[in-house]
């Protein structure tokens, strides 16, 4: 596969309108294809997952693979958003076990951990060099297979892994076309029973991906198809799940999360994600919660340049009266605010520890973000400070 990031780095402005090099298996019960899928890449598998129910799910998948003669180790170390140390430990295990395939099973943290480790297993140098950009991945790593158990990050179809350097309090992505999963098996049954808070946070992360990718500077007619359909599906299905657990809305959210992932991988994101990473790392907050709080605020900030697309969002959400495009765009923003209210997502970070003395560091943390660079309305120091002031 051509490495478009390397081409871009060399100053060549070339890239596809849509790149989706992941073989997808989607639908309830589809996890049964895993033995056939995994064994096309190798017979020594390392499953990267988290503790508790995730370990139980991973053991179930491991048993299924072992029945098919596959050698499987389960590494249940992803107990929070992945750190550089955690990736180092997974890489060391993969090397020691001579793993041929990695399988990430869990939410975005598990998938990103498997993704980063797979990319780095064969790479020279230190993880920090790739994290801070002094080295780039030059070749594919180990093949890895994504098995998401939440509907949020879309990490099964994106070429970036969000990692945190805990010592330096830096949270950012490593990104390379070589990090794509070789296959993703998205079985919505695996998301049944996900606790309420995790369901809400994951879905608000996906909604932020959809809305940000839809209005991003990098959006095009093809990415819009994915972004708009993802945005359309999320609010109503998330609200349905507040009433009762059911496979239909779980399937719709899993589809939306995947579609939003395709959109963000190709169109990039915006100021929600630019600010979400420093806020998340400073106050140790769940990513989806931070995105949920930021989304309506950043939509208001972007209204003057993105009103036509916001009006289209109002249309697919069935809100706002036909007529003035600004009024309809405003109705879309109100719809997200109402959604947050019904889900119990606050409108500020006041109760979550946000302090004015951290503003400078938070802004400095957001400014280098590639997401911020794709925001449709330019947001520099002053604008970011303005947004933070509204959040306290
Ligand atoms: Fe996100």
């Amino acid at each position: 596969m051509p490495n478009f990031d390397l081409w871009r780095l060399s100053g060549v402005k070339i890239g596809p309108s849509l790149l989706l090099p992941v073989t997808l298996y989607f639908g309830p019960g589809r996890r049964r294809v895993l033995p056939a899928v995994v064994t096309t890449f190798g017979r020594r598998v390392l499953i990267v997952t988290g503790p508790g129910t995730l370990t139980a799910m991973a053991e179930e998948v491991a048993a299924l693979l072992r029945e098919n003669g596959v050698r499987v180790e389960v590494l249940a170390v992803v107990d929070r958003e992945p750190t550089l140390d955690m990736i180092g430990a997974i890489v060391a295990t993969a090397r020691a076990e001579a793993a041929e395939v990695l399988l990430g099973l869990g939410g975005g943290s598990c998938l990103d951990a498997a993704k980063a480790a797979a990319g780095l297993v064969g790479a020279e140098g230190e993880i920090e060099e790739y994290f801070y950009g002094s080295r780039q991945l030059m070749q594919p790593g180990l093949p890895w297979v994504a098995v998401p158990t939440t509907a949020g990050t879309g990490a099964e179809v994106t070429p970036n892994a969000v990692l945190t350097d805990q010592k330096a309090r830096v949270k950012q992505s490593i990104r390379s076309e070589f990090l794509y999963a070789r296959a993703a098996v998205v079985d919505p049954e695996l998301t049944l029973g996900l606790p309420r808070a995790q369901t809400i946070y994951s879905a608000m992360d996906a909604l932020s991906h959809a809305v940000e990718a839809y209005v991003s500077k990098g959006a095009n007619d093809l990415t819009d198809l994915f972004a708009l359909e993802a945005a359309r599906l999320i609010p109503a299905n998330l609200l349905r799940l507040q009433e009762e657990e059911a496979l239909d809305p779980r399937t719709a959210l899993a589809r939306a999360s995947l579609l939003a992932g395709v959109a963000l991988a190709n169109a990039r994101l915006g100021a929600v994600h630019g600010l979400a990473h420093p806020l998340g790392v400073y106050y140790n907050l769940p990513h989806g919660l931070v995105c949920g709080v930021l989304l309506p605020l950043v939509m208001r900030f972007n209204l003057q340049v993105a009103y036509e697309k916001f009006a289209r969002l109002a249309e697919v959400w069935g809100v706002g009266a036909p007529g003035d495009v600004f009024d309809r765009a405003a109705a879309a923003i109100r719809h997200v605010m109402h959604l947050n209210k019904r889900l119990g997502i606050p409108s500020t970070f006041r109760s979550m520890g946000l302090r004015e003395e951290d503003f400078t560091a938070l802004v400095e943390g957001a400014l280098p973000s590639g997401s911020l660079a794709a925001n449709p309305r330019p947001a520099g120091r002053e604008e970011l400070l303005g947004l933070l002031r509204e959040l306290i």
Side-chain angles (χ1 to χ4, degrees):
M1 190 194 313
N3 187 335
F4 293 110
D5 274 351
L6 288 183
W7 291 9
R8 273 181 212 122
L9 287 169
S10 64
V12 182
K13 289 217 181 311
I14 187 162
S17 303
L18 194 86
L19 180 65
L20 177 51
V22 184
T23 305
L24 296 171
Y25 301 84
F26 182 93
R30 288 294 255 165
R31 63 188 179 285
R32 287 176 204 107
V33 303
L34 273 169
V37 170
V38 169
T39 50
T40 58
F41 304 118
R43 304 194 78 85
R44 295 169 76 98
V45 180
L46 181 65
I47 300 185
V48 176
T49 191
T53 50
L54 283 178
T55 310
M57 269 192 232
E59 287 297 350
E60 220 176 280
V61 169
L64 193 63
L65 293 171
R66 285 184 192 120
E67 279 168 27
N68 288 270
V70 178
R71 206 190 112 144
V72 189
E73 291 293 324
V74 176
L75 189 59
V77 293
V78 189
D79 55 358
R80 71 203 106 114
E81 292 182 6
T83 61
L84 299 189
D85 294 344
M86 190 191 287
I87 301 304
I90 299 167
V91 166
T93 307
R95 285 178 182 155
E97 298 287 333
E100 294 168 349
V101 191
L102 263 57
L103 187 153
L105 182 142
S109 296
C110 294
L111 300 194
D112 277 359
K115 180 188 291 187
L120 290 164
V121 164
E124 287 173 11
E126 300 300 318
I127 294 175
E128 284 78 5
E129 296 176 276
Y130 295 92
F131 183 71
Y132 287 108
S134 60
R135 260 184 201 263
Q136 305 293 325
L137 290 172
M138 301 298 282
Q139 59 195 30
L142 285 185
W144 80 278
V145 176
V147 185
T149 63
T150 65
T153 64
E156 64 275 18
V157 286
T158 63
N160 61 297
V162 184
L163 308 178
T164 300
D165 179 348
Q166 274 185 318
K167 282 165 227 127
R169 287 171 128 191
V170 176
K171 179 176 176 181
Q172 61 191 20
S173 279
I174 57 169
R175 189 181 164 94
S176 162
E177 264 79 3
F178 295 128
L179 290 178
Y180 277 109
R182 295 287 287 275
V185 178
V186 183
D187 185 340
E189 284 177 4
L190 295 176
T191 67
L192 284 169
L194 188 71
R196 181 175 185 271
Q198 266 176 283
T199 301
I200 291 173
Y201 298 161
S202 309
M204 292 312 290
D205 185 24
L207 183 61
S208 304
H209 295 163
V211 173
E212 291 218 281
Y214 188 46
V215 301
S216 148
K217 275 197 219 162
N220 64 51
D221 290 349
L222 294 180
T223 59
D224 282 358
L225 295 173
F226 290 82
L228 186 63
E229 176 63 1
R232 184 185 73 81
L233 287 168
I234 294 168
N237 285 290
L238 181 54
L239 289 175
R240 264 184 74 192
L241 274 179
Q242 306 311 302
E243 310 298 321
E244 56 160 353
E245 179 61 279
L247 186 58
D248 271 6
R250 289 284 185 193
T251 303
L253 289 182
R255 183 185 306 127
S257 162
L258 188 153
L259 296 175
V262 175
L264 87 87
N266 288 279
R268 308 299 291 260
L269 291 165
V272 170
H273 278 76
L275 279 167
H277 289 169
L279 281 163
V281 81
Y282 261 75
Y283 305 111
N284 198 21
L285 298 168
H287 174 68
L289 168 64
V290 179
C291 288
V293 176
L294 287 168
L295 181 58
L297 180 71
V298 171
M299 286 177 79
R300 272 208 304 279
F301 175 76
N302 285 333
L303 177 63
Q304 57 182 260
V305 295
Y307 56 91
E308 282 177 341
K309 283 191 162 174
F310 288 164
R312 180 82 183 104
L313 285 174
E315 214 175 288
V316 299
W317 287 334
V319 297
D324 183 75
V325 69
F326 268 108
D327 288 349
R328 273 192 294 146
I333 300 173
R334 280 199 305 277
H335 189 58
V336 177
M337 292 166 70
H338 289 157
L339 180 67
N340 274 352
K341 206 166 192 178
R342 286 185 64 179
L343 298 168
I345 293 177
S347 56
T348 70
F349 291 108
R350 206 174 299 137
S351 61
M352 290 178 259
L354 181 63
R355 302 174 315 164
E356 200 154 353
E357 52 261 50
D358 296 336
F359 279 10
T360 310
L362 291 167
V363 168
E364 292 308 316
L367 280 171
S369 146
S371 297
L372 191 67
N375 195 69
R377 182 177 163 196
R381 248 181 212 95
E382 274 316 301
E383 289 78 10
L384 292 177
L385 276 174
L387 287 169
L388 286 173
R389 275 189 211 108
E390 290 192 58
L391 289 164
I392 203 159

